[in-house]
Amino acid sequence: LVLWVGFIGASIATKDDGHLAMDLVSRFLPEKIKKSSAFFVQGVSALVCALLTLASYKFVVGEQESGSFLISLPASWPIPGIPSYWAVIIIPIGFYFMSLRFARKAAFWLAPILAILLPVLIFGPHFQNQPFLQNLLLKVSNLVNLIPTAGP
């Protein structure tokens, strides 16, 4: 329960800018540099949370494959117990939402791309030979190509 409350609270704090931040350096930066440094910090935070989403998903899959139980029930019950992965499933969910919220703060267009790419990266290995996933990947790559880049 503490884990669930912690990750739900972290996601809400990310949305409301209530998370921990080390902004000592940014206080002394000129306004022009502050904006680009904020973009950088939010983008890196989104990337870190996205990587933690992938890693924690692998952890949950490992817990599921182990077959361990959080609570074992008596043999007379129809199910053997509550699987332990149910307790930790909030970890990848929490990091996913935090990464989307950081991405949205970094750049409005980054959040939808991350919202599509993360599930594809996470669930991609499970659906490698599926035409649906291949079409989705093609559409995502086409969307990424439409994003204007800064240049001369």
Side-chain angles (χ1 to χ4, degrees), residues 74-105:
S76 60
W77 287 52
I79 57 172
I82 299 172
S84 62
Y85 72 92
W86 284 12
V88 295
I89 194 81
I90 190 64
I91 300 172
I93 294 169
F95 279 129
Y96 175 73
F97 283 117
M98 284 188 280
S99 67
L100 292 182
R101 289 178 170 160
F102 278 126
R104 185 176 175 137
K105 288 178 184 181

Side-chain angles (χ1 to χ4, degrees), residues 14-58:
T14 303
K15 177 184 172 201
D16 298 334
D17 280 335
H19 54 84
L20 292 174
M22 290 185 262
D23 62 348
L24 178 65
V25 175
S26 66
R27 290 181 185 189
F28 301 108
L29 293 175
E31 269 317 301
K32 191 174 186 180
I33 298 175
K34 240 184 224 186
K35 192 172 187 177
S36 60
S37 72
F39 168 77
F40 176 75
V41 169
Q42 300 291 343
V44 169
S45 298
L47 177 66
V48 168
C49 285
L51 292 173
L52 287 169
T53 302
L54 294 172
S56 60
Y57 173 74
K58 290 178 182 180

